[in-house]
């Protein structure tokens, strides 16, 4: 977000993802499926992209990118 000049949105996005990580910083698999988390993040990024660029397409591909690299 910072590299895109959208760093001011980080706090709001992080707050909306509260509960996805445990107190140790590890992803909370027992509370949320990883694929659902990634989908939620992509939707949030699309909202930011729409506000900043007027086009949510800037966030397209995030979900696919993450799942290809971390699904295992």
């Amino acid at each position: 977000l910072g590299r895109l000049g959208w760093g001011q949105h980080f706090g709001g996005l992080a707050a909306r993802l509260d509960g996805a990580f445990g107190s140790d910083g590890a992803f909370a698999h027992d509370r949320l499926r990883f694929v659902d988390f990634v989908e939620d993040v992509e939707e949030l990024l699309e909202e930011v992209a729409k506000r900043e660029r007027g086009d949510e397409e800037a966030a397209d591909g995030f979900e696919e990118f993450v799942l290809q690299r971390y699904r295992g």
Side-chain angles (χ1 to χ4, degrees):
L1 292 175
R3 285 188 272 173
L4 293 170
W6 301 353
Q8 73 274 16
H9 297 288
F10 180 77
L13 292 175
R16 291 177 66 182
L17 297 171
D18 186 37
F21 297 90
S23 60
D24 62 355
F27 182 74
H29 291 278
D30 60 329
R31 288 182 261 167
L32 182 66
R33 292 181 336 140
F34 184 70
V35 293
D36 293 335
F37 169 75
V38 173
E39 184 177 330
D40 291 346
V41 171
E42 182 177 58
E43 288 175 15
L44 293 172
L45 292 174
E46 287 173 348
E47 289 175 23
V48 171
K50 191 168 185 173
R51 277 196 305 260
E52 291 295 321
R53 293 193 176 172
D55 181 14
E56 65 185 38
E57 302 286 322
D60 275 357
F62 173 81
E63 183 177 4
E64 182 179 331
F65 174 84
V66 171
L67 292 179
Q68 284 179 350
R69 280 152 184 80
Y70 298 106
R71 186 173 253 169

Short mmCIF file of all heavy atoms in Angstrom, two decimals:
data_model
loop_
_atom_site.label_atom_id
_atom_site.label_comp_id
_atom_site.label_asym_id
_atom_site.label_seq_id
_atom_site.Cartn_x
_atom_site.Cartn_y
_atom_site.Cartn_z
N LEU A 1 0.83 -1.19 0.00
CA LEU A 1 0.00 0.00 0.00
C LEU A 1 0.87 1.25 0.00
O LEU A 1 0.54 2.23 -0.65
CB LEU A 1 -0.93 -0.01 1.21
CG LEU A 1 -2.03 -1.06 1.23
CD1 LEU A 1 -2.78 -1.01 2.56
CD2 LEU A 1 -2.98 -0.88 0.11
N GLY A 2 1.94 1.19 0.74
CA GLY A 2 2.83 2.34 0.82
C GLY A 2 3.45 2.68 -0.52
O GLY A 2 3.55 3.84 -0.89
N ARG A 3 3.86 1.67 -1.27
CA ARG A 3 4.48 1.91 -2.57
C ARG A 3 3.51 2.52 -3.57
O ARG A 3 3.92 3.21 -4.49
CB ARG A 3 5.07 0.62 -3.14
CG ARG A 3 6.36 0.23 -2.45
CD ARG A 3 7.00 -0.91 -3.15
NE ARG A 3 6.44 -2.13 -2.56
CZ ARG A 3 6.67 -3.34 -3.01
NH1 ARG A 3 7.43 -3.52 -4.05
NH2 ARG A 3 6.13 -4.38 -2.42
N LEU A 4 2.22 2.27 -3.37
CA LEU A 4 1.21 2.84 -4.25
C LEU A 4 0.77 4.22 -3.79
O LEU A 4 -0.03 4.87 -4.45
CB LEU A 4 -0.02 1.93 -4.32
CG LEU A 4 0.18 0.57 -4.98
CD1 LEU A 4 -1.04 -0.31 -4.76
CD2 LEU A 4 0.45 0.74 -6.46
N GLY A 5 1.27 4.65 -2.62
CA GLY A 5 0.85 5.93 -2.07
C GLY A 5 -0.48 5.81 -1.33
O GLY A 5 -1.15 6.80 -1.09
N TRP A 6 -0.86 4.61 -0.96
CA TRP A 6 -2.14 4.36 -0.30
C TRP A 6 -1.94 3.97 1.16
O TRP A 6 -2.82 3.41 1.81
CB TRP A 6 -2.91 3.23 -0.98
CG TRP A 6 -3.24 3.45 -2.42
CD1 TRP A 6 -3.06 4.58 -3.16
CD2 TRP A 6 -3.79 2.49 -3.32
NE1 TRP A 6 -3.48 4.38 -4.45
CE2 TRP A 6 -3.93 3.12 -4.58
CE3 TRP A 6 -4.19 1.19 -3.18
CZ2 TRP A 6 -4.45 2.45 -5.68
CZ3 TRP A 6 -4.70 0.52 -4.28
CH2 TRP A 6 -4.84 1.16 -5.52
N GLY A 7 -0.78 4.27 1.72
CA GLY A 7 -0.44 3.87 3.08
C GLY A 7 -1.42 4.34 4.13
O GLY A 7 -1.59 3.68 5.16
N GLN A 8 -2.09 5.45 3.89
CA GLN A 8 -3.06 5.97 4.87
C GLN A 8 -4.22 5.01 5.07
O GLN A 8 -4.95 5.12 6.05
CB GLN A 8 -3.57 7.36 4.47
CG GLN A 8 -4.51 7.38 3.29
CD GLN A 8 -3.85 7.45 1.92
OE1 GLN A 8 -2.66 7.19 1.78
NE2 GLN A 8 -4.62 7.82 0.91
N HIS A 9 -4.42 4.06 4.18
CA HIS A 9 -5.52 3.11 4.29
C HIS A 9 -5.16 1.88 5.12
O HIS A 9 -6.03 1.10 5.49
CB HIS A 9 -5.97 2.65 2.91
CG HIS A 9 -6.52 3.74 2.07
ND1 HIS A 9 -7.75 4.32 2.31
CD2 HIS A 9 -5.99 4.39 1.00
CE1 HIS A 9 -7.96 5.27 1.42
NE2 HIS A 9 -6.91 5.33 0.62
N PHE A 10 -3.87 1.71 5.43
CA PHE A 10 -3.44 0.48 6.10
C PHE A 10 -4.14 0.26 7.43
O PHE A 10 -4.61 -0.84 7.72
CB PHE A 10 -1.92 0.46 6.30
CG PHE A 10 -1.45 -0.78 6.98
CD1 PHE A 10 -1.36 -1.97 6.28
CD2 PHE A 10 -1.14 -0.77 8.33
CE1 PHE A 10 -0.95 -3.13 6.91
CE2 PHE A 10 -0.73 -1.93 8.97
CZ PHE A 10 -0.63 -3.11 8.25
N GLY A 11 -4.22 1.29 8.27
CA GLY A 11 -4.85 1.14 9.58
C GLY A 11 -6.28 0.68 9.48
O GLY A 11 -6.71 -0.22 10.22
N GLY A 12 -7.04 1.24 8.56
CA GLY A 12 -8.43 0.84 8.39
C GLY A 12 -8.57 -0.57 7.89
O GLY A 12 -9.45 -1.32 8.33
N LEU A 13 -7.71 -0.95 6.98
CA LEU A 13 -7.75 -2.33 6.46
C LEU A 13 -7.36 -3.32 7.54
O LEU A 13 -8.00 -4.36 7.70
CB LEU A 13 -6.81 -2.48 5.26
CG LEU A 13 -7.21 -1.73 4.00
CD1 LEU A 13 -6.12 -1.88 2.94
CD2 LEU A 13 -8.53 -2.20 3.45
N ALA A 14 -6.32 -3.00 8.29
CA ALA A 14 -5.87 -3.90 9.35
C ALA A 14 -6.96 -4.09 10.39
O ALA A 14 -7.19 -5.21 10.86
CB ALA A 14 -4.59 -3.35 9.99
N ALA A 15 -7.66 -3.03 10.74
CA ALA A 15 -8.73 -3.13 11.73
C ALA A 15 -9.86 -4.02 11.24
O ALA A 15 -10.46 -4.78 12.02
CB ALA A 15 -9.27 -1.74 12.07
N ARG A 16 -10.16 -3.97 9.95
CA ARG A 16 -11.24 -4.78 9.39
C ARG A 16 -10.86 -6.25 9.31
O ARG A 16 -11.71 -7.11 9.15
CB ARG A 16 -11.64 -4.24 8.02
CG ARG A 16 -12.34 -2.89 8.17
CD ARG A 16 -12.69 -2.27 6.86
NE ARG A 16 -13.69 -3.04 6.14
CZ ARG A 16 -14.13 -2.70 4.94
NH1 ARG A 16 -13.68 -1.60 4.36
NH2 ARG A 16 -15.03 -3.44 4.33
N LEU A 17 -9.58 -6.55 9.43
CA LEU A 17 -9.11 -7.94 9.38
C LEU A 17 -8.82 -8.47 10.78
O LEU A 17 -8.26 -9.55 10.94
CB LEU A 17 -7.85 -8.04 8.52
CG LEU A 17 -8.06 -7.68 7.05
CD1 LEU A 17 -6.73 -7.59 6.33
CD2 LEU A 17 -8.99 -8.66 6.38
N ASP A 18 -9.22 -7.73 11.79
CA ASP A 18 -9.01 -8.13 13.18
C ASP A 18 -9.58 -9.53 13.42
O ASP A 18 -10.66 -9.86 12.96
CB ASP A 18 -9.68 -7.13 14.12
CG ASP A 18 -9.36 -7.40 15.58
OD1 ASP A 18 -8.23 -7.79 15.87
OD2 ASP A 18 -10.27 -7.23 16.41
N GLY A 19 -8.85 -10.34 14.10
CA GLY A 19 -9.29 -11.69 14.40
C GLY A 19 -8.71 -12.73 13.45
O GLY A 19 -8.81 -13.93 13.71
N ALA A 20 -8.08 -12.29 12.38
CA ALA A 20 -7.50 -13.23 11.43
C ALA A 20 -6.16 -13.78 11.92
O ALA A 20 -5.70 -14.80 11.43
CB ALA A 20 -7.33 -12.58 10.06
N PHE A 21 -5.55 -13.09 12.88
CA PHE A 21 -4.26 -13.51 13.40
C PHE A 21 -4.33 -13.62 14.92
O PHE A 21 -5.02 -12.85 15.58
CB PHE A 21 -3.17 -12.50 13.00
CG PHE A 21 -2.99 -12.43 11.51
CD1 PHE A 21 -3.70 -11.54 10.75
CD2 PHE A 21 -2.10 -13.29 10.88
CE1 PHE A 21 -3.55 -11.48 9.38
CE2 PHE A 21 -1.94 -13.24 9.50
CZ PHE A 21 -2.67 -12.33 8.74
N GLY A 22 -3.61 -14.57 15.46
CA GLY A 22 -3.56 -14.75 16.91
C GLY A 22 -2.62 -13.75 17.55
O GLY A 22 -1.94 -12.96 16.86
N SER A 23 -2.52 -13.78 18.85
CA SER A 23 -1.66 -12.85 19.58
C SER A 23 -0.19 -13.05 19.23
O SER A 23 0.62 -12.14 19.38
CB SER A 23 -1.88 -12.99 21.09
OG SER A 23 -1.58 -14.31 21.49
N ASP A 24 0.15 -14.24 18.74
CA ASP A 24 1.53 -14.52 18.34
C ASP A 24 1.83 -14.10 16.91
O ASP A 24 2.94 -14.26 16.41
CB ASP A 24 1.85 -16.00 18.53
CG ASP A 24 0.97 -16.90 17.66
OD1 ASP A 24 0.05 -16.40 16.98
OD2 ASP A 24 1.19 -18.12 17.69
N GLY A 25 0.82 -13.57 16.21
CA GLY A 25 1.00 -13.12 14.83
C GLY A 25 0.76 -14.19 13.79
O GLY A 25 0.80 -13.92 12.59
N ALA A 26 0.49 -15.41 14.21
CA ALA A 26 0.23 -16.51 13.28
C ALA A 26 -1.21 -16.45 12.79
O ALA A 26 -2.10 -16.06 13.53
CB ALA A 26 0.50 -17.85 13.95
N PHE A 27 -1.41 -16.85 11.56
CA PHE A 27 -2.76 -16.87 11.00
C PHE A 27 -3.64 -17.82 11.81
O PHE A 27 -3.23 -18.93 12.13
CB PHE A 27 -2.73 -17.29 9.53
CG PHE A 27 -4.09 -17.27 8.89
CD1 PHE A 27 -4.69 -16.09 8.56
CD2 PHE A 27 -4.77 -18.46 8.66
CE1 PHE A 27 -5.96 -16.07 7.99
CE2 PHE A 27 -6.03 -18.45 8.09
CZ PHE A 27 -6.62 -17.26 7.76
N ALA A 28 -4.85 -17.40 12.12
CA ALA A 28 -5.77 -18.17 12.97
C ALA A 28 -6.60 -19.14 12.13
O ALA A 28 -7.77 -18.91 11.86
CB ALA A 28 -6.66 -17.23 13.76
N HIS A 29 -6.01 -20.25 11.72
CA HIS A 29 -6.69 -21.23 10.89
C HIS A 29 -7.91 -21.82 11.56
O HIS A 29 -8.83 -22.28 10.88
CB HIS A 29 -5.73 -22.37 10.51
CG HIS A 29 -4.66 -21.96 9.57
ND1 HIS A 29 -4.85 -21.87 8.22
CD2 HIS A 29 -3.38 -21.60 9.80
CE1 HIS A 29 -3.73 -21.48 7.63
NE2 HIS A 29 -2.82 -21.31 8.57
N ASP A 30 -7.93 -21.81 12.88
CA ASP A 30 -9.06 -22.37 13.60
C ASP A 30 -10.28 -21.45 13.59
O ASP A 30 -11.39 -21.87 13.91
CB ASP A 30 -8.68 -22.71 15.04
CG ASP A 30 -8.21 -21.51 15.83
OD1 ASP A 30 -7.62 -20.58 15.22
OD2 ASP A 30 -8.41 -21.49 17.05
N ARG A 31 -10.09 -20.19 13.18
CA ARG A 31 -11.19 -19.23 13.15
C ARG A 31 -11.62 -18.84 11.74
O ARG A 31 -12.72 -18.36 11.53
CB ARG A 31 -10.80 -17.95 13.89
CG ARG A 31 -10.73 -18.12 15.38
CD ARG A 31 -10.40 -16.83 16.03
NE ARG A 31 -8.97 -16.89 16.32
CZ ARG A 31 -8.23 -15.88 16.67
NH1 ARG A 31 -8.74 -14.69 16.76
NH2 ARG A 31 -6.96 -16.03 16.93
N LEU A 32 -10.73 -19.04 10.78
CA LEU A 32 -10.99 -18.55 9.42
C LEU A 32 -10.20 -19.36 8.42
O LEU A 32 -9.01 -19.62 8.62
CB LEU A 32 -10.57 -17.07 9.36
CG LEU A 32 -10.78 -16.30 8.08
CD1 LEU A 32 -12.27 -16.13 7.78
CD2 LEU A 32 -10.15 -14.92 8.21
N ARG A 33 -10.88 -19.76 7.35
CA ARG A 33 -10.16 -20.46 6.28
C ARG A 33 -9.29 -19.45 5.53
O ARG A 33 -9.69 -18.31 5.30
CB ARG A 33 -11.13 -21.10 5.29
CG ARG A 33 -11.91 -22.23 5.85
CD ARG A 33 -12.86 -22.90 4.87
NE ARG A 33 -13.26 -22.05 3.78
CZ ARG A 33 -13.40 -22.46 2.50
NH1 ARG A 33 -13.19 -23.72 2.19
NH2 ARG A 33 -13.80 -21.63 1.57
N PHE A 34 -8.08 -19.88 5.17
CA PHE A 34 -7.14 -18.99 4.49
C PHE A 34 -7.72 -18.44 3.19
O PHE A 34 -7.58 -17.26 2.89
CB PHE A 34 -5.80 -19.69 4.24
CG PHE A 34 -4.76 -18.80 3.64
CD1 PHE A 34 -4.20 -17.78 4.39
CD2 PHE A 34 -4.34 -18.97 2.34
CE1 PHE A 34 -3.24 -16.94 3.85
CE2 PHE A 34 -3.38 -18.15 1.79
CZ PHE A 34 -2.83 -17.13 2.54
N VAL A 35 -8.40 -19.28 2.42
CA VAL A 35 -8.96 -18.83 1.15
C VAL A 35 -10.02 -17.75 1.37
O VAL A 35 -10.13 -16.81 0.58
CB VAL A 35 -9.53 -19.98 0.30
CG1 VAL A 35 -8.42 -20.90 -0.18
CG2 VAL A 35 -10.58 -20.77 1.03
N ASP A 36 -10.78 -17.86 2.46
CA ASP A 36 -11.78 -16.83 2.77
C ASP A 36 -11.09 -15.52 3.17
O ASP A 36 -11.52 -14.43 2.80
CB ASP A 36 -12.71 -17.29 3.88
CG ASP A 36 -13.59 -18.45 3.47
OD1 ASP A 36 -13.84 -18.60 2.25
OD2 ASP A 36 -14.01 -19.21 4.35
N PHE A 37 -10.01 -15.64 3.93
CA PHE A 37 -9.24 -14.47 4.34
C PHE A 37 -8.69 -13.74 3.11
O PHE A 37 -8.82 -12.52 2.99
CB PHE A 37 -8.09 -14.90 5.26
CG PHE A 37 -7.09 -13.82 5.52
CD1 PHE A 37 -7.38 -12.77 6.38
CD2 PHE A 37 -5.85 -13.86 4.92
CE1 PHE A 37 -6.46 -11.78 6.63
CE2 PHE A 37 -4.91 -12.87 5.15
CZ PHE A 37 -5.22 -11.82 6.01
N VAL A 38 -8.10 -14.48 2.19
CA VAL A 38 -7.51 -13.87 0.99
C VAL A 38 -8.60 -13.20 0.16
O VAL A 38 -8.41 -12.10 -0.37
CB VAL A 38 -6.73 -14.91 0.17
CG1 VAL A 38 -6.27 -14.34 -1.16
CG2 VAL A 38 -5.54 -15.42 0.97
N GLU A 39 -9.75 -13.82 0.05
CA GLU A 39 -10.87 -13.23 -0.68
C GLU A 39 -11.31 -11.92 -0.02
O GLU A 39 -11.57 -10.92 -0.70
CB GLU A 39 -12.03 -14.21 -0.75
CG GLU A 39 -13.20 -13.71 -1.58
CD GLU A 39 -14.31 -14.74 -1.68
OE1 GLU A 39 -14.04 -15.95 -1.64
OE2 GLU A 39 -15.47 -14.30 -1.79
N ASP A 40 -11.39 -11.92 1.31
CA ASP A 40 -11.77 -10.71 2.03
C ASP A 40 -10.75 -9.59 1.81
O ASP A 40 -11.12 -8.43 1.61
CB ASP A 40 -11.88 -10.98 3.54
CG ASP A 40 -13.06 -11.85 3.90
OD1 ASP A 40 -13.96 -12.04 3.05
OD2 ASP A 40 -13.09 -12.35 5.05
N VAL A 41 -9.47 -9.94 1.82
CA VAL A 41 -8.43 -8.93 1.61
C VAL A 41 -8.55 -8.36 0.20
O VAL A 41 -8.45 -7.14 0.01
CB VAL A 41 -7.02 -9.51 1.84
CG1 VAL A 41 -5.94 -8.54 1.40
CG2 VAL A 41 -6.84 -9.88 3.31
N GLU A 42 -8.79 -9.21 -0.79
CA GLU A 42 -8.93 -8.71 -2.16
C GLU A 42 -10.11 -7.75 -2.26
O GLU A 42 -10.00 -6.70 -2.89
CB GLU A 42 -9.10 -9.85 -3.16
CG GLU A 42 -9.20 -9.31 -4.60
CD GLU A 42 -9.29 -10.41 -5.63
OE1 GLU A 42 -10.22 -11.23 -5.55
OE2 GLU A 42 -8.41 -10.42 -6.51
N GLU A 43 -11.23 -8.07 -1.61
CA GLU A 43 -12.39 -7.17 -1.64
C GLU A 43 -12.06 -5.83 -1.00
O GLU A 43 -12.46 -4.78 -1.51
CB GLU A 43 -13.57 -7.84 -0.94
CG GLU A 43 -14.17 -8.98 -1.74
CD GLU A 43 -15.27 -9.72 -1.00
OE1 GLU A 43 -15.77 -9.21 0.02
OE2 GLU A 43 -15.62 -10.82 -1.44
N LEU A 44 -11.33 -5.85 0.11
CA LEU A 44 -10.94 -4.60 0.76
C LEU A 44 -10.01 -3.78 -0.13
O LEU A 44 -10.14 -2.56 -0.24
CB LEU A 44 -10.26 -4.90 2.10
CG LEU A 44 -11.15 -5.50 3.18
CD1 LEU A 44 -10.31 -5.93 4.38
CD2 LEU A 44 -12.23 -4.53 3.60
N LEU A 45 -9.07 -4.46 -0.78
CA LEU A 45 -8.16 -3.77 -1.69
C LEU A 45 -8.90 -3.19 -2.89
O LEU A 45 -8.56 -2.11 -3.38
CB LEU A 45 -7.05 -4.71 -2.15
CG LEU A 45 -6.05 -5.12 -1.07
CD1 LEU A 45 -5.09 -6.17 -1.62
CD2 LEU A 45 -5.30 -3.92 -0.53
N GLU A 46 -9.92 -3.89 -3.36
CA GLU A 46 -10.73 -3.37 -4.46
C GLU A 46 -11.46 -2.10 -4.05
O GLU A 46 -11.56 -1.16 -4.83
CB GLU A 46 -11.72 -4.43 -4.94
CG GLU A 46 -11.08 -5.53 -5.74
CD GLU A 46 -12.02 -6.67 -6.08
OE1 GLU A 46 -13.14 -6.74 -5.52
OE2 GLU A 46 -11.63 -7.51 -6.91
N GLU A 47 -11.94 -2.05 -2.80
CA GLU A 47 -12.59 -0.84 -2.30
C GLU A 47 -11.62 0.33 -2.29
O GLU A 47 -11.96 1.45 -2.70
CB GLU A 47 -13.13 -1.06 -0.88
CG GLU A 47 -14.32 -1.98 -0.80
CD GLU A 47 -14.74 -2.25 0.64
OE1 GLU A 47 -14.42 -1.44 1.53
OE2 GLU A 47 -15.40 -3.28 0.86
N VAL A 48 -10.40 0.07 -1.82
CA VAL A 48 -9.37 1.13 -1.78
C VAL A 48 -9.03 1.57 -3.20
O VAL A 48 -8.94 2.77 -3.48
CB VAL A 48 -8.11 0.65 -1.04
CG1 VAL A 48 -6.97 1.65 -1.20
CG2 VAL A 48 -8.41 0.43 0.43
N ALA A 49 -8.85 0.62 -4.10
CA ALA A 49 -8.51 0.95 -5.48
C ALA A 49 -9.61 1.78 -6.13
O ALA A 49 -9.34 2.72 -6.88
CB ALA A 49 -8.27 -0.33 -6.29
N LYS A 50 -10.85 1.45 -5.84
CA LYS A 50 -11.97 2.20 -6.42
C LYS A 50 -11.97 3.64 -5.90
O LYS A 50 -12.18 4.58 -6.66
CB LYS A 50 -13.29 1.51 -6.09
CG LYS A 50 -14.45 2.09 -6.87
CD LYS A 50 -15.67 1.22 -6.75
CE LYS A 50 -16.76 1.76 -7.65
NZ LYS A 50 -17.90 0.89 -7.70
N ARG A 51 -11.69 3.81 -4.59
CA ARG A 51 -11.63 5.17 -4.02
C ARG A 51 -10.46 5.96 -4.57
O ARG A 51 -10.57 7.14 -4.86
CB ARG A 51 -11.51 5.10 -2.49
CG ARG A 51 -12.82 4.91 -1.78
CD ARG A 51 -12.68 5.23 -0.31
NE ARG A 51 -11.62 4.48 0.34
CZ ARG A 51 -11.81 3.39 1.08
NH1 ARG A 51 -13.03 2.94 1.30
NH2 ARG A 51 -10.79 2.76 1.63
N GLU A 52 -9.30 5.30 -4.69
CA GLU A 52 -8.07 6.00 -5.08
C GLU A 52 -7.94 6.21 -6.58
O GLU A 52 -7.43 7.22 -7.02
CB GLU A 52 -6.85 5.24 -4.56
CG GLU A 52 -6.70 5.29 -3.06
CD GLU A 52 -6.44 6.70 -2.55
OE1 GLU A 52 -5.68 7.45 -3.17
OE2 GLU A 52 -7.00 7.03 -1.47
N ARG A 53 -8.36 5.23 -7.35
CA ARG A 53 -8.18 5.29 -8.81
C ARG A 53 -9.48 5.32 -9.58
O ARG A 53 -9.47 5.44 -10.80
CB ARG A 53 -7.36 4.10 -9.28
CG ARG A 53 -5.94 4.13 -8.81
CD ARG A 53 -5.13 3.12 -9.55
NE ARG A 53 -3.74 3.22 -9.16
CZ ARG A 53 -2.82 2.38 -9.53
NH1 ARG A 53 -3.13 1.37 -10.31
NH2 ARG A 53 -1.58 2.53 -9.14
N GLY A 54 -10.60 5.12 -8.86
CA GLY A 54 -11.88 5.08 -9.53
C GLY A 54 -12.10 3.78 -10.28
O GLY A 54 -13.01 3.67 -11.09
N ASP A 55 -11.25 2.79 -10.01
CA ASP A 55 -11.32 1.53 -10.73
C ASP A 55 -10.80 0.41 -9.85
O ASP A 55 -9.63 0.39 -9.47
CB ASP A 55 -10.47 1.63 -11.99
CG ASP A 55 -10.48 0.38 -12.84
OD1 ASP A 55 -11.33 -0.50 -12.61
OD2 ASP A 55 -9.63 0.29 -13.74
N GLU A 56 -11.66 -0.53 -9.50
CA GLU A 56 -11.25 -1.62 -8.63
C GLU A 56 -10.37 -2.64 -9.34
O GLU A 56 -9.79 -3.52 -8.71
CB GLU A 56 -12.46 -2.31 -8.00
CG GLU A 56 -13.36 -3.00 -8.97
CD GLU A 56 -14.61 -3.55 -8.30
OE1 GLU A 56 -15.16 -2.92 -7.39
OE2 GLU A 56 -15.03 -4.63 -8.73
N GLU A 57 -10.22 -2.52 -10.63
CA GLU A 57 -9.40 -3.46 -11.41
C GLU A 57 -7.94 -3.47 -10.94
O GLU A 57 -7.24 -4.45 -11.16
CB GLU A 57 -9.46 -3.12 -12.90
CG GLU A 57 -10.85 -3.12 -13.51
CD GLU A 57 -11.40 -4.52 -13.71
OE1 GLU A 57 -10.62 -5.41 -14.07
OE2 GLU A 57 -12.60 -4.72 -13.49
N ALA A 58 -7.50 -2.39 -10.30
CA ALA A 58 -6.11 -2.32 -9.84
C ALA A 58 -5.79 -3.43 -8.85
O ALA A 58 -4.63 -3.80 -8.69
CB ALA A 58 -5.84 -0.95 -9.22
N ALA A 59 -6.79 -3.96 -8.16
CA ALA A 59 -6.57 -5.02 -7.18
C ALA A 59 -6.85 -6.40 -7.75
O ALA A 59 -6.66 -7.41 -7.07
CB ALA A 59 -7.46 -4.78 -5.96
N ASP A 60 -7.29 -6.48 -8.99
CA ASP A 60 -7.57 -7.78 -9.59
C ASP A 60 -6.31 -8.63 -9.63
O ASP A 60 -5.22 -8.16 -9.87
CB ASP A 60 -8.11 -7.63 -11.02
CG ASP A 60 -9.59 -7.40 -11.04
OD1 ASP A 60 -10.22 -7.43 -9.97
OD2 ASP A 60 -10.14 -7.18 -12.13
N GLY A 61 -6.47 -9.87 -9.39
CA GLY A 61 -5.36 -10.81 -9.44
C GLY A 61 -4.71 -11.06 -8.10
O GLY A 61 -3.89 -11.96 -7.98
N PHE A 62 -5.05 -10.26 -7.07
CA PHE A 62 -4.43 -10.44 -5.76
C PHE A 62 -4.71 -11.84 -5.22
O PHE A 62 -3.79 -12.54 -4.80
CB PHE A 62 -4.94 -9.38 -4.78
CG PHE A 62 -4.48 -9.61 -3.37
CD1 PHE A 62 -3.22 -9.20 -2.97
CD2 PHE A 62 -5.29 -10.24 -2.44
CE1 PHE A 62 -2.78 -9.43 -1.68
CE2 PHE A 62 -4.86 -10.47 -1.15
CZ PHE A 62 -3.60 -10.06 -0.77
N GLU A 63 -5.97 -12.22 -5.23
CA GLU A 63 -6.36 -13.53 -4.67
C GLU A 63 -5.63 -14.66 -5.39
O GLU A 63 -5.05 -15.54 -4.76
CB GLU A 63 -7.87 -13.70 -4.77
CG GLU A 63 -8.38 -14.99 -4.16
CD GLU A 63 -9.89 -15.10 -4.21
OE1 GLU A 63 -10.57 -14.21 -4.77
OE2 GLU A 63 -10.40 -16.09 -3.68
N GLU A 64 -5.64 -14.63 -6.69
CA GLU A 64 -4.98 -15.68 -7.47
C GLU A 64 -3.48 -15.71 -7.19
O GLU A 64 -2.89 -16.77 -7.00
CB GLU A 64 -5.22 -15.45 -8.96
CG GLU A 64 -4.62 -16.51 -9.84
CD GLU A 64 -4.90 -16.27 -11.32
OE1 GLU A 64 -5.94 -15.67 -11.66
OE2 GLU A 64 -4.06 -16.68 -12.12
N PHE A 65 -2.86 -14.53 -7.13
CA PHE A 65 -1.43 -14.43 -6.85
C PHE A 65 -1.09 -15.07 -5.51
O PHE A 65 -0.18 -15.90 -5.41
CB PHE A 65 -1.00 -12.95 -6.86
CG PHE A 65 0.41 -12.73 -6.44
CD1 PHE A 65 1.44 -12.85 -7.35
CD2 PHE A 65 0.71 -12.38 -5.13
CE1 PHE A 65 2.76 -12.64 -6.96
CE2 PHE A 65 2.02 -12.16 -4.73
CZ PHE A 65 3.05 -12.30 -5.65
N VAL A 66 -1.81 -14.71 -4.48
CA VAL A 66 -1.53 -15.22 -3.14
C VAL A 66 -1.77 -16.72 -3.06
O VAL A 66 -0.94 -17.47 -2.54
CB VAL A 66 -2.37 -14.48 -2.07
CG1 VAL A 66 -2.26 -15.14 -0.71
CG2 VAL A 66 -1.94 -13.02 -1.98
N LEU A 67 -2.90 -17.17 -3.58
CA LEU A 67 -3.22 -18.59 -3.48
C LEU A 67 -2.24 -19.46 -4.26
O LEU A 67 -1.91 -20.57 -3.83
CB LEU A 67 -4.65 -18.85 -3.92
CG LEU A 67 -5.72 -18.27 -2.99
CD1 LEU A 67 -7.10 -18.56 -3.54
CD2 LEU A 67 -5.58 -18.77 -1.57
N GLN A 68 -1.75 -18.98 -5.39
CA GLN A 68 -0.77 -19.75 -6.14
C GLN A 68 0.52 -19.92 -5.37
O GLN A 68 1.18 -20.95 -5.46
CB GLN A 68 -0.45 -19.07 -7.48
CG GLN A 68 -1.52 -19.23 -8.51
CD GLN A 68 -1.18 -18.52 -9.80
OE1 GLN A 68 -0.23 -17.75 -9.88
NE2 GLN A 68 -1.98 -18.75 -10.82
N ARG A 69 0.89 -18.94 -4.57
CA ARG A 69 2.16 -18.98 -3.87
C ARG A 69 2.09 -19.62 -2.49
O ARG A 69 3.07 -20.15 -2.01
CB ARG A 69 2.74 -17.58 -3.77
CG ARG A 69 3.41 -17.21 -5.08
CD ARG A 69 3.41 -15.75 -5.37
NE ARG A 69 3.98 -15.45 -6.67
CZ ARG A 69 3.39 -15.55 -7.81
NH1 ARG A 69 2.15 -16.00 -7.87
NH2 ARG A 69 3.97 -15.24 -8.94
N TYR A 70 0.92 -19.53 -1.83
CA TYR A 70 0.85 -19.98 -0.45
C TYR A 70 -0.10 -21.13 -0.17
O TYR A 70 -0.18 -21.59 0.95
CB TYR A 70 0.49 -18.79 0.45
CG TYR A 70 1.51 -17.71 0.39
CD1 TYR A 70 1.26 -16.54 -0.30
CD2 TYR A 70 2.74 -17.87 0.99
CE1 TYR A 70 2.22 -15.54 -0.37
CE2 TYR A 70 3.71 -16.88 0.92
CZ TYR A 70 3.44 -15.72 0.25
OH TYR A 70 4.38 -14.73 0.16
N ARG A 71 -0.83 -21.56 -1.15
CA ARG A 71 -1.78 -22.65 -0.92
C ARG A 71 -1.07 -23.96 -0.61
O ARG A 71 -1.52 -24.74 0.20
CB ARG A 71 -2.70 -22.80 -2.13
CG ARG A 71 -3.79 -23.82 -1.87
CD ARG A 71 -4.76 -23.84 -2.98
NE ARG A 71 -5.99 -23.20 -2.50
CZ ARG A 71 -6.98 -22.85 -3.24
NH1 ARG A 71 -6.90 -23.01 -4.54
NH2 ARG A 71 -8.05 -22.32 -2.74
N GLY A 72 0.03 -24.19 -1.28
CA GLY A 72 0.84 -25.37 -0.97
C GLY A 72 0.41 -26.63 -1.60
O GLY A 72 -0.39 -27.01 -2.25
#
